[in-house]
Amino acid sequence: MDVFEMKFSKVFPLLIAKAVRKGREEDEVYHVTQWLTGYSKDALRKMLESEATYGDFLRGAPSMNPLRFGVKGSVCGVKLETIEDPLMKDLRILDKLVDDLAKGKQMEKILPKQ
């Protein structure tokens, strides 16, 4: 199954679990997700209660943060800078943000600044 066709309600809890297993807080995952997408916490909760796919979640984001391209590094051995598909790049940026949380990085070092 294509990752974009997976239910958001199945994927997002996995991101939360990954961070929480490493001692981070659920709210921190919400924070980086809100920073990236522009969704409010309530809107994210509504998405979790809906039938929305992961692709719907990303395509419907209210305001993708233009600073997201400042997120650097690799996810699953693939450098973010080399990903050409915009939707896949956004998905991998969220993965990288959660990975950095799980690695114990401080929030100030995870989210790019202007």
Side-chain angles (χ1 to χ4, degrees), residues 88-101:
M88 181 58 76
K89 186 173 223 160
D90 288 339
L91 179 148
R92 293 300 185 188
I93 289 170
L94 181 55
D95 285 345
K96 178 66 175 156
L97 295 173
V98 174
D99 282 354
D100 285 350
L101 275 176

Side-chain angles (χ1 to χ4, degrees), residues 4 59 80 82-92:
F4 297 115
R59 284 187 289 271
L80 293 173
T82 66
I83 301 171
E84 293 184 18
D85 178 83
L87 199 59
M88 181 58 76
K89 186 173 223 160
D90 288 339
L91 179 148
R92 293 300 185 188

